[in-house]
Amino acid sequence: MPLCRRRPHLFVCVPVLLCALLVPTHPAASAEGHVSPEGHVSSEGHVSSEGPSASADVARLYEEASAATARYVEGRRAARVQKTRVRKLDRLLAAERRHMAVLHADLGRLANAQYRSGGGLPHTVQLLLADSPDALMRGKQVMLQADLAVNSAVAKTRRAASGLAVAKRRADRAKRSLDRHNTRLADLKRGIERKLERARWTLQGEADRSVAAGRCRGAVRLNQQRTPVTRAWVTPVESYELSAGFDSAGERWAHRHTGQDFAVGIGAPVRSVGAGRVESVSCGGGFGIEVVVRHKGGYFTQYAHLAAVTVDQGDRVRAGQWVGQAGTTGNSTGPHLHFEARLTPYLGSGVDPRRWLAERGVIL
C-alpha cells in the first residue's frame, strides 16, 4: 500500500506534477519502515550552519505559484462573467431586432390599409367623394394616430437596438482582452510551476545528500508571511490529501503504521499544529529529516520525511509556524509528511493523530 500514489497534487490551488516528470532524477527510496525499531531516528548527526538555497527558492516559488494561480482563477472568473454578459446582450439585441421587424410589418399593414381606403386619391378628393365625410375624418385620425404610434415605437426600438449593439461590441472587446490576459497568466503560471518543479527536486537532492552523509543542515530561516492564526491548533499542512492512516497495516512497513500521512509536494510548508518548543531536530534512519515538538499537557508531535527544517532544537514555536518543508527523505515511497502525536518524544508512544487533533477542534 503506497504512501503516495505519485499523481499531481494541488497545493494552494497550484497543480504541479511531482513524480511523473522527474522520477528518474530522484534517488530510489526503500520501503516505508518507520514503525519498526530500526526506523527510530536516534542519531542527530552533524549539523551544518549553512542552509540550502533551494529551500528559499522553493518557498518563494510556492508563493509566486500561489499568487499566479489566484490571478489566473480570478481572470477565468471575470472572463466567465463577461461571457455571460455578452450572451445576455446577444439575446436582448435579437429580441429588439425581432420587435423592430414586427413594427415594420405593422407600418406596412397601415400603409396598405391607407392605400385601400383612399385608393391613392388625395385627401381632399376623398372627402368630396365620401358618403360620410365625418366618418372618413374619424377613420383618418385613428389611422394617423396609429401611424404616429408605430413610428414612435420603431424609433425607440431602433435607438434601443443601436445602444445594445454598441454595448455588445464593447463587451466583445472586453472579453477578447480578458482572454488574451488569461492566456498570458496561464503561460506565467506554467513557467512558475516548471521552475518550482526543478527547485523541488534540487531541494530533495540536497536533503538526500545530507542524510546520506549524516550531516543535518541547520535551520533555514525562511521569510514566512505572518498570517493571523486565531485557533490554538491547526493542521500540519495547509493543503493535502490523506494517505496512510494511523494503525493501518501494509506490506511496506514492518508492523502497524504509527502516524497519519499527508500527501503533499516536496517543499510544501510544514507547520507546528500548536504552540510549543522544539524537542529535537534529527536526520538519518527511517524517518529521514524530522522535527519533534513538545506541547503543553505532556504531548509531542513529530514531522518526518522532511526536505529541510526551519527551526532549531529549543526554539519556541506558535501554532501555524513553519517547522520545515515536506520531502521524501528516509524510508519513503514518495513526497509526503508523516505526522505523529505521541505521549513521549520516542517512537512507540503514538496515539491516533486524527482523534488527537479532533479533540482539539481540528478535523482532517
Side-chain angles (χ1 to χ4, degrees):
M1 180 177 179
L3 298 181
C4 174
R5 294 184 175 85
R6 294 185 180 271
R7 62 177 177 236
H9 179 71
L10 179 65
F11 176 80
V12 195
C13 309
V14 183
V16 287
L17 294 174
L18 292 179
C19 302
L21 295 178
L22 295 173
V23 165
T25 66
H26 178 61
S30 60
E32 184 91 37
H34 50 253
V35 294
S36 65
E38 292 77 15
H40 173 47
V41 180
S42 58
S43 59
E44 295 289 330
H46 299 287
V47 178
S48 168
S49 61
E50 290 189 8
S53 61
S55 290
D57 289 342
V58 169
R60 174 181 55 81
L61 287 167
Y62 257 113
E63 291 182 5
E64 290 182 8
S66 176
T69 298
R71 291 195 298 271
Y72 178 70
V73 169
E74 177 61 25
R76 291 287 299 273
R77 187 197 66 81
R80 287 195 297 270
V81 170
Q82 191 65 22
K83 186 176 180 180
T84 300
R85 183 168 183 264
V86 169
R87 284 199 297 263
K88 181 179 179 181
L89 287 169
D90 270 334
R91 291 194 297 270
L92 291 173
L93 184 57
E96 289 294 340
R97 285 171 175 165
R98 286 194 299 271
H99 187 207
M100 193 157 48
V102 170
L103 291 173
H104 278 300
D106 289 342
L107 273 178
R109 284 193 294 272
L110 286 171
N112 288 333
Q114 288 174 343
Y115 180 79
R116 286 194 302 271
S117 62
L121 296 175
H123 186 58
T124 303
V125 176
Q126 293 180 37
L127 284 173
L128 293 173
L129 298 176
D131 295 333
S132 176
D134 289 340
L136 178 63
M137 288 295 296
R138 286 195 296 272
K140 287 292 183 181
Q141 187 176 6
V142 170
M143 189 71 70
L144 178 61
Q145 289 174 345
D147 194 13
L148 289 173
V150 172
N151 272 322
S152 175
V154 168
K156 289 180 181 178
T157 301
R158 186 178 289 115
R159 287 194 298 272
S162 177
L164 283 171
V166 171
K168 183 181 180 303
R169 286 195 296 271
R170 290 175 179 171
D172 282 333
R173 285 197 298 269
K175 184 182 179 303
R176 289 193 296 270
S177 177
L178 276 171
D179 288 341
R180 290 192 297 269
H181 179 64
N182 288 338
T183 298
R184 290 193 295 270
L185 285 178
D187 291 341
L188 173 65
K189 186 168 76 73
R190 283 192 295 268
I192 293 173
E193 288 169 358
R194 286 192 294 267
K195 292 179 183 178
L196 175 59
E197 185 68 11
R198 290 192 294 268
R200 278 171 158 169
W201 288 105
T202 298
L203 173 61
Q204 184 61 45
E206 292 177 350
D208 289 336
R209 287 190 293 274
S210 69
V211 170
R215 296 181 60 83
C216 293
R217 292 161 294 180
V220 182
R221 303 298 181 178
L222 300 176
N223 294 323
Q224 176 183 357
Q225 291 183 346
R226 188 66 180 268
T227 54
V229 176
T230 58
R231 302 178 62 180
W233 301 91
V234 296
T235 55
V237 285
E238 189 171 353
S239 182
Y240 56 86
E241 289 181 14
L242 294 177
S243 49
F246 178 73
D247 205 30
S248 58
E251 60 183 11
R252 293 188 178 274
W253 45 84
H255 302 292
R256 310 292 290 189
H257 194 243
T258 58
Q260 175 63 58
D261 287 349
F262 297 80
V264 292
I266 294 171
V270 174
R271 53 191 189 174
S272 178
V273 295
R277 185 185 292 274
V278 177
E279 179 77 10
S280 64
V281 177
S282 310
C283 73
F287 285 125
I289 299 174
E290 65 162 329
V291 172
V292 175
V293 176
R294 176 195 294 266
H295 304 282
K296 287 183 179 179
Y299 287 100
F300 298 81
T301 53
Q302 180 213 27
Y303 312 81
H305 302 308
L306 303 177
V309 296
T310 58
V311 291
D312 284 320
Q313 183 173 336
D315 284 355
R316 287 192 175 277
V317 293
R318 64 184 182 277
Q321 180 178 335
W322 295 353
V323 296
Q325 291 171 287
T328 181
T329 54
N331 291 344
S332 170
T333 58
H336 72 287
L337 168 70
H338 175 81
F339 172 78
E340 289 192 18
R342 296 174 174 176
L343 301 174
T344 74
Y346 309 112
L347 179 69
S349 62
V351 296
D352 186 343
R354 295 188 68 168
R355 183 178 301 173
W356 186 83
L357 285 172
E359 291 170 354
R360 287 152 181 79
V362 179
I363 307 300
L364 298 181

